[in-house]
Amino acid sequence: MRKTAFISILFLLGHLSYGQHQWGSPVALRITASSSFFLCDLGGKNAAGSNDISDLNLEQTRYAFGAGLQVYHGPLSFGAGAFYARLSADDRLTNAKRSIRQLHAITDVVETAVNVEFTVPSNVPILANCYFNTGAGIMIFRPMARYQGSLVYLR
């Protein structure tokens, strides 16, 4: 129950911000600070692993942060951003049979993206104030595990 309440609060906090352009400042700075979880069959609930909220281990909660910049020029805007998260999971946190595997993983996730957005002017019928967005990004995901006292990259 505490897990569900915790996730619900985090979800609701994310919806308190308004992400669209306010037609005032030509530049918007985005800053993100949050927590991260590794949803997998390492650790998690005391049954077969899944990729849902019941697999959260609060003991394995790690950090995440990011920043971005959006520049508005009339109906067009251009943006760029980067995000970093540390993920962690460990079988020793479960009583299920899979705990004998003694598997664990730590990984750094780095994401970066650029985007272009077009907002249809309000004088265009039907599509007024709709926006279209396109972009590209890259993500780096390199899982590691502790082996003989040092971190090694997994394949």
Side-chain angles (χ1 to χ4, degrees), residues 2-24:
R2 286 187 345 187
K3 238 187 251 189
T4 304
F6 178 71
I7 297 304
S8 298
I9 290 169
L10 289 180
F11 180 76
L12 292 174
L13 286 176
H15 285 80
L16 293 177
S17 63
Y18 182 70
Q20 299 303 314
H21 181 46
Q22 295 294 315
W23 301 108

Side-chain angles (χ1 to χ4, degrees), residues 3 11 21 31 34 36 49 65 73 85-86 93-94 101 110 112-113 115 119 125 128 138 142 152:
K3 238 187 251 189
F11 180 76
H21 181 46
I31 298 174
S34 80
S36 66
F65 54 88
H73 185 68
R86 165 64 62 99
L93 299 173
T94 184
R101 299 182 305 188
V110 178
T112 184
N115 72 308
T119 304
I138 188 168
R142 296 191 64 193
V152 294

Side-chain angles (χ1 to χ4, degrees), residues 35 49 56 58 78 100 105 132 134 136 138:
S35 56
L56 287 182
L58 293 180
F78 307 91
I100 62 173
F132 300 92
T134 187
I138 188 168

Side-chain angles (χ1 to χ4, degrees), residues 130-149:
C130 289
Y131 67 94
F132 300 92
N133 167 341
T134 187
I138 188 168
M139 181 183 88
I140 300 168
F141 173 80
R142 296 191 64 193
M144 302 174 282
R146 192 163 302 283
Y147 178 71
Q148 295 180 346

Side-chain angles (χ1 to χ4, degrees), residues 59-142:
E59 300 89 356
Q60 292 292 306
T61 303
R62 296 297 180 262
Y63 47 86
F65 54 88
L69 184 69
Q70 194 82 12
V71 178
Y72 300 97
H73 185 68
L76 283 177
S77 70
F78 307 91
F83 183 77
Y84 170 82
R86 165 64 62 99
L87 303 176
S88 180
D90 199 330
D91 269 344
R92 69 180 165 79
L93 299 173
T94 184
N95 295 327
K97 291 179 184 178
R98 69 179 184 274
S99 66
I100 62 173
R101 299 182 305 188
Q102 297 181 1
L103 294 177
H104 61 282
I106 299 168
T107 186
D108 296 324
V109 177
V110 178
E111 298 177 38
T112 184
V114 294
N115 72 308
V116 176
E117 185 177 291
F118 174 74
T119 304
V120 179
S122 58
N123 61 357
V124 176
I126 300 174
L127 294 176
N129 297 319
C130 289
Y131 67 94
F132 300 92
N133 167 341
T134 187
I138 188 168
M139 181 183 88
I140 300 168
F141 173 80
R142 296 191 64 193

